Amino acid sequence: MLTAVFIKHLMSIMKKLLWSLPLLSLILAGCSTASTTASTTAADSADDSLKVVTSTKVWADVAQAVAPELDIEAIITGGDTDPHSFEPSAADMAKVSEADIIIVGGGGYDSWLYDSLDDDDRIIHALELSEHDHDHDHDANAADEDHEGHDHADVDNEHVWYSAEHVAEVADDFAEKVTELDPEAQVDAAAVTAKMDELHNKIHELPAVNIVQTEPIADHILSHSDMVESTPAGYRATTLSEGEPTAADVAAFQDALNNGDIDVLVYNPQSASTVATRLKDVAEEKGIPVVEIYETPQNNENFLDAFTKAVDDLTSAANQV
Ligand SMILES: [Zn+2]
Ligand SMILES: [Zn+2]
């Protein structure tokens, strides 16, 4: 902690120093024609602009859509990295300590980033900043509000970036924070909140079909739709707490697929166990549509597009029924 505070302090001194250097040479030069060029360079320089660090690329994409000119960096950029079992390096945490704004999902998911930061008002989060406990009896989402025309139950699930409402809230909170720190910054949450409204409406139109998930990644989508979460209870409980399902749980899942009770299967290739992959294969053999939904965007895809694709894929899979 001490080192982090020290580094942060050092960085702020460095920043001030870097900022003052061009001004100093400007004063020494004492030339009025040069002043325009010099001050433009200083303003354009990234050294004094806000630094934003996010746990995953999801939040970096959201933040970048809100503030296109800011320097925004995700610790987990995507690819094969499974954020569930991620351990940050010292270099990762150095970036966190230098950041002006930090964005995380919360709910324990990315606690590797925030559990060493106490009451840090740089942090913007979608869920409460709980520890990474696997009991899921914390009330991270107890205040989840019912909204008009929809009486969904509390969703206690850390995959909160698939909640259109939470993403819109983070976008708004981030815009507010940026403006607070730099009133001149170009910032607008509207592009994100409008997109989330659109997705939210699409989600509400998803039909009442039976759906199973190899990992409960789409809970925040399903809870706003008429889709019926039909993952066998034992399997679901184990995967919610990131455990290994028993042979009986897997057999119950396979039976549901084989009995023709299931219309759509959601599969998360990014944190797939051998069991999950086998269940996906069974679904494919039975001709049950499989929708792939990832933890983080793949192949440099923007998260807003990935979220849209997930909803569109669910829609077309459900319409095959
Ligand atoms: Zn997950
Ligand atoms: Zn809703």
Side-chain angles (χ1 to χ4, degrees):
M1 263 329 268
L2 253 179
T3 334
V5 170
F6 176 72
I7 290 172
K8 186 164 179 266
H9 189 63
L10 198 68
M11 282 309 294
S12 80
I13 294 172
M14 293 275 287
K15 273 188 200 171
K16 280 177 195 141
L17 212 62
L18 283 169
W19 169 247
S20 63
L21 278 175
L23 289 177
L24 194 68
S25 54
L26 180 71
I27 294 162
L28 288 176
C31 172
S32 66
T33 40
S35 81
T36 350
T37 350
S39 61
T40 314
T41 317
D44 287 348
S45 133
D47 292 317
D48 71 313
S49 80
L50 296 174
K51 300 242 181 330
V52 183
V53 169
T54 71
S55 56
T56 70
K57 185 174 183 295
V58 164
W59 303 113
D61 288 345
V62 170
Q64 203 78 70
V66 171
E69 290 181 348
L70 287 195
D71 174 5
I72 298 166
E73 187 174 0
I75 300 291
I76 300 179
T77 52
D80 292 336
T81 312
D82 181 358
H84 286 290
S85 49
F86 184 73
E87 285 179 28
S89 67
D92 291 333
M93 291 316 286
K95 285 176 192 163
V96 171
S97 71
E98 289 162 20
D100 299 297
I101 302 176
I102 298 163
I103 309 179
V104 299
Y109 185 77
D110 37 22
S111 60
W112 49 264
L113 190 156
Y114 59 76
D115 62 8
S116 62
L117 310 171
D118 267 344
D119 275 338
D120 193 321
D121 64 5
R122 294 177 300 159
I123 304 178
I124 289 169
H125 51 100
L127 297 175
E128 291 305 313
L129 298 178
S130 49
E131 286 169 28
H132 191 101
D133 71 78
H134 285 172
D135 300 335
H136 285 272
D137 57 358
H138 54 81
D139 52 1
N141 244 353
D144 195 21
E145 66 288 0
D146 287 343
H147 55 87
E148 209 180 325
H150 212 75
D151 185 28
H152 50 80
D154 290 349
V155 183
D156 185 5
N157 186 303
E158 60 195 14
H159 302 94
V160 68
W161 55 100
Y162 287 116
S163 159
E165 290 168 305
H166 281 93
V167 170
E169 269 171 35
V170 166
D172 278 334
D173 289 353
F174 175 63
E176 200 176 305
K177 189 84 174 168
V178 171
T179 310
E180 180 192 314
L181 297 179
D182 179 6
E184 309 278 279
Q186 185 203 326
V187 60
D188 187 4
V192 175
T193 54
K195 181 78 199 165
M196 289 305 121
D197 278 352
E198 178 199 320
L199 283 182
H200 191 188
N201 290 335
K202 269 195 197 174
I203 289 167
H204 272 261
E205 283 162 16
L206 286 166
V209 300
N210 292 331
I211 188 160
V212 285
Q213 307 180 77
T214 57
E215 194 218 330
I217 188 152
D219 279 6
H220 286 279
I221 298 178
L222 304 185
S223 69
H224 288 263
S225 78
D226 291 333
M227 287 187 147
V228 184
E229 219 298 336
S230 310
T231 309
Y235 182 99
R236 185 177 155 79
T238 330
T239 49
L240 254 179
S241 56
E242 294 166 41
E244 281 293 313
T246 64
D249 291 336
V250 177
F253 200 127
Q254 273 175 340
D255 286 349
L257 294 171
N258 284 319
N259 293 343
D261 300 337
I262 303 306
D263 301 310
V264 176
L265 177 132
V266 167
Y267 172 68
N268 172 3
Q270 201 172 345
S271 54
S273 59
T274 352
V275 164
T277 309
R278 188 145 37 93
L279 291 170
K280 185 212 44 160
D281 292 344
V282 173
E284 279 171 350
E285 281 158 25
K286 297 293 290 182
I288 297 168
V290 172
V291 175
E292 293 190 344
I293 302 184
Y294 287 80
E295 298 284 331
T296 52
Q298 301 297 297
N299 307 318
N300 279 323
E301 192 178 22
N302 188 286
F303 168 66
L304 298 180
D305 296 331
F307 192 174
T308 307
K309 184 172 185 299
V311 176
D312 287 347
D313 287 354
L314 279 173
T315 306
S316 57
N319 288 336
Q320 284 178 44
V321 176

